[in-house]
Amino acid sequence: MAKRIAMFNHKGGVSKTTTTFNLGWMLADGGRRVILVDADPQCNLSGLILGYRGEAEFEKFYTLASERNIRAGLAPAFESKPSAIQPVECIPVEGRNGLFLLPGHIRLSEYEVTLGIAQELSGSIQTLQNLPGAPSYLLDVTAERYTADYVIVDMNPSLSSINQNLLMTSDFFVVPTSPDYFSLMAIESLAAVLPRWRAWSERAKVAEVLKDAAYPYPDRNPRLLGTIIQKYRPRKGAATEGFQQWINSINAAVESRLAPVLEAQGMMLPAATYGRIPGFIPNYCLAQVADFNTLIAKSQEARTPVFALTDRQLGHVGTVLEGDQRKREEFKLAFAELATRIVTLTT
């Protein structure tokens, strides 16, 4: 069965989408079959991969390929259609064999309220019993169709019912952050929120009405793989002093606050598993990735990770090209190490 990894932080602007794309590409580059799931109604991941820049292009896509998105995949459950949920026909990612996109939908948030009601496990659950298990079922059957090794879910920055569902039905999760005050506060917030989500999930697992549903709520328990710290300015190969202070503070908060709370909830891997990665304990930081700066525009234009850009796509010559080549190699090494750590921790 495919391993499902949720990329989650309710703070925005921490490069969740960029990380999802780059990590998925690198895993596929290593021979894994990977599905990238765009579960964010902003559809940034879909726009990046498909090259779309506006709502008109998405609307055209939804008209021409009406069934090839996450909302359409969930519609049989959420709109009480007579048909059953079927695997979504994913989009092969251009330039990288083994990598697929399950496109998002800008109207996915319309299912938010209904799912929220269903997840309250109230007396009205009989009429909504198929909803809590539907997202997980959709991802499972789609992964099976594509014989995927990994399913990576790009989530929106919120504490929504959809995010609650997607996170708690994943096998693992990663918390992307940026070196600033708001990411530090987000770590504190997650230490309070995730135990509540875990308690809800445990009730859902034993609720008879959900066991008897057409799409039973799955018996999964997500485990933290670690954090990723991105978007800092480097100097001489390391973060500048100001950014390093925030990096140290975030790592300390994960070590002293978040990890102990998750350990008590059974949402951490065994210490011996983390111990496979030298120096990974105690801060659980999977990777530090500097700001892409001007290379991000080249990456988006080419719909290709920075580390996979060709010299021609970089579009420079001479010393500027040499500088770009060095940065490209640095990002390649960073994401190669990240992918290796992900495989190590999930095997």
Side-chain angles (χ1 to χ4, degrees), residues 8 15 22 54 63 162 164 168 231-232 243 282 340 342:
F8 176 65
S15 296
N22 283 260
T63 299
I162 290 178
Q164 178 182 1
M168 298 313 301
K231 300 180 69 174
Y232 63 85
F243 284 111
T340 298
I342 292 291

Side-chain angles (χ1 to χ4, degrees), residues 35-48:
I35 297 176
L36 305 179
V37 179
D38 191 349
D40 185 348
Q42 296 182 69
C43 294
N44 290 328
L45 179 62
S46 300
L48 172 62

Side-chain angles (χ1 to χ4, degrees), residues 258-275:
L258 183 61
V261 168
L262 296 182
E263 178 67 34
Q265 297 294 321
M267 295 176 69
M268 296 290 288
L269 295 167
T273 303
Y274 293 120

